[in-house]
Amino acid sequence: MQLRKRNSKSGLLSRLSLPIFVLIVTFIALFTTAASYILIRVQNDHTLQMAEQSMKFLHRNIQYQFDTMNNVAAFILSNQSIENLLEANYQETFEAADNYYTLETNLQNLSLLSLLNDVESPDVAQQSYVVSLALEPGSGLYQMAPDDYYPITGIFKNGDLRGQEWFHKLSSGESQNVWWGQKKDPINAAMIYSARKKTSLKDGRSLGTVIIGADTRSLKSMFDNAHMEKGYHLLLDETNRVIYSERYEFLEHAGDFPYVSSLKGTKGALLTRIDGENHRVMFETLKNGWKLLSVVPESHFSRYTFAISALGAATALAALLVAGFWLRRIVVRVTVPITRLVSAIQRPEVVEFKMPLPYQHTGIYEVDELNQKFAAMLVTLHSLIEKSFTEEIERQQLQLELLHAQINPHFLYNTLDLINCRAIMAGDQETSEIVRSLANVFRYGLNRGYTWISLEGEVKQVEAYLHIQKMMMDDLTVDILVSDELLSANIVHLILQPLAENAIIHGFADRHTGCRITITARVKRDNLVLRVEDNGRGCDANTMNRMLQEQPERDTNMKHSGMMHSSIGSGYGTMNVHRRIQLHVGESYGLRYVAVEAGTCVEVVMPYHPEQP
C-alpha cells in the first residue's frame, strides 16, 4: 500500500514537473527572444539616430557659415557709405586715393569678423574671410584698382575675371548669387567663394562684384565634432565636386559615384552597395544648392546584433539549467504556497503599491523567506522606480542645459562680433578693446567644456578679465609675473579668475585708490604654485585654511560666518576652485592661504604637468 502511494506520488511529481518545465522553457525562450529583439531594435535605432543627429549638426553649422558669408556680402551691397565711395566721380585719378584706401580699410575690417582665434595666436585677430571687390568701369575707383585680380582682401579690376564660368553666370543674370570652390595661390589653400553683383542704388548701373571667400579649414572643426566611428561625410557643390570630406580630396569629382548620381530631391536616404558592402546614404541640400551627404555602412547599425543575441541565448540557457535543477526539489512543497504568493502579488492593490504583500506562514523556510524578501523587493522596487524617474528628469534637464550651453555662446560670440565690427567701423578703439577682452574672457572661460587648460590660456583669460576691471576702477594695478617656460603647463580650468574676482569684490570693497593685484607662478618640488596677492583689507589665513579643510555640508555656516574673504558658496567661489582641484589631482592639492603683512595672499598648489594629463 505504501509502495502504491509512493508510486502515485512519484507519478504526480513527474506529471507536474514536465508541464511546468515546458512552461518555463517556453516562457524563458519567448522572454529572451523578445528582450533580445527589443534591445537590438533599440540599439540599431539609437545608432541611426546618432548618425542623423551628426548630419543635422553639420547641416546647421555649415548653413550658418554660409549665412554669415551672405550677411557680409549683403552689408557691402546695402551700406550707404560704401555706395558713396564707389559712385563718387573724380577729375584726376589721384583724387580717389583717400576714398580708395578708406574702402580698402572697410573691407579689411569686415574680414576680421571673428574674435575666436582657434588656429594661431589669440593676441592677433585672424582674417575670417577674404572680402574683395572686383570693380567695373562704372565705379569712380576703377582706375585706382590693380589690373589683375588676386584672391585676397582688397579692391581689383574685373578684367581677368570675365573668362570665369561663375562670372559669366553672374553677369548674364542666370544666378543672383554664385558659389564655387577654388584653390588659393600661392599657398594652395582650399577656399569657398560666393559672389554677388554690386549695382548702384541710384540708377542700377553695375559697379562691380562682391566676392566673399572662406578657408575650408573653418569646416574642419565642424566635421571633427560630427565624427562617426564608421562612415564619412561629403560636402558637394552643384556640379558634384567635393568641397570637404574626410575621405576625398578637395574638388575631386564625385558625380561618377553611383550613389551620388542616383540622389533625387532635396533630402532623403537610400541604401546602396559601396566597395561590396551595403551602405546607408543620407543627404540634405543647403540653401545654395550644395549637398551634404553622410555615408555609413549598414553593418554599423547592426554591430551589436550578434552580441545581444549571444547574451540572450546564454541567459536563457542558464535560466533553463537553474530551473531544471531546482524544479524537482521544490515543485511538491512549494506549489501551493507559491500559488498563493502569486495570487497575492497579482492583486491590483499590491502591484500598484497601495498595500504591502500579505504575510503567510507555511512552515517552509524557503517559501516564507521568499515571501518576506519579495515583499521587501516590492518596497525597494517602488523606491527605485521613484529614484529612476527623478534621475531621468534630472538627466533631461542636464541635456537641456547642455543644449543651451551650445547655443548661447554661439549667439554671444555673434553679438560680440557685430559690436566689435561696428566699433572698428566707427573708429571707437576703446569699445573694440573692451569687446575683445570680454570675448577672450568668455572664450577661455568656456574652454569648449574641457577640464584642463594651458597656464598660458588661463593667464590670458584672467588678463582679459582684469583689463575690463581696470577700465571700471579708478586706480587698479595688475602685475602678472609668469616665466615663459611655465606657460605650457596644464592646469585645471578656471582657477585664477575667481581668485582675482574675490580680490576685487571683497579685498577692495572699501578701497578705491592704490589697488594692486599680483599674480606669480613658480615650480616647487614638482608642484606648480600659483599665487594671487592683493593689498586689500585682508583676512585671517589660518581661519580660511581651516574652512577649506571642513566638509562640504558646512559650506552654509562658512558663508554666513562673516570671516570669509570670498563667496565660498558661490558657483565659481574659492571652495569651488578648491574642490575641483582636489577632484582632478588629489586631496593633497588645492588652495592655501598665506599670512602676509597687508592684504590677502592665496596660493594654488597643483602637480606640475608640462604636457596635458
Side-chain angles (χ1 to χ4, degrees), residues 2-15:
Q2 291 180 353
L3 182 59
R4 288 184 178 179
K5 289 183 178 179
R6 290 180 181 177
N7 292 336
S8 176
K9 185 177 292 186
S10 176
L12 181 60
L13 178 62
S14 299
R15 287 194 296 270

Side-chain angles (χ1 to χ4, degrees), residues 105-120:
T105 300
N106 289 338
L107 297 183
Q108 290 287 349
N109 292 336
L110 287 173
S111 70
L112 301 174
L113 284 178
S114 178
L115 298 174
L116 298 176
N117 304 300
D118 293 331
V119 178
E120 298 183 16

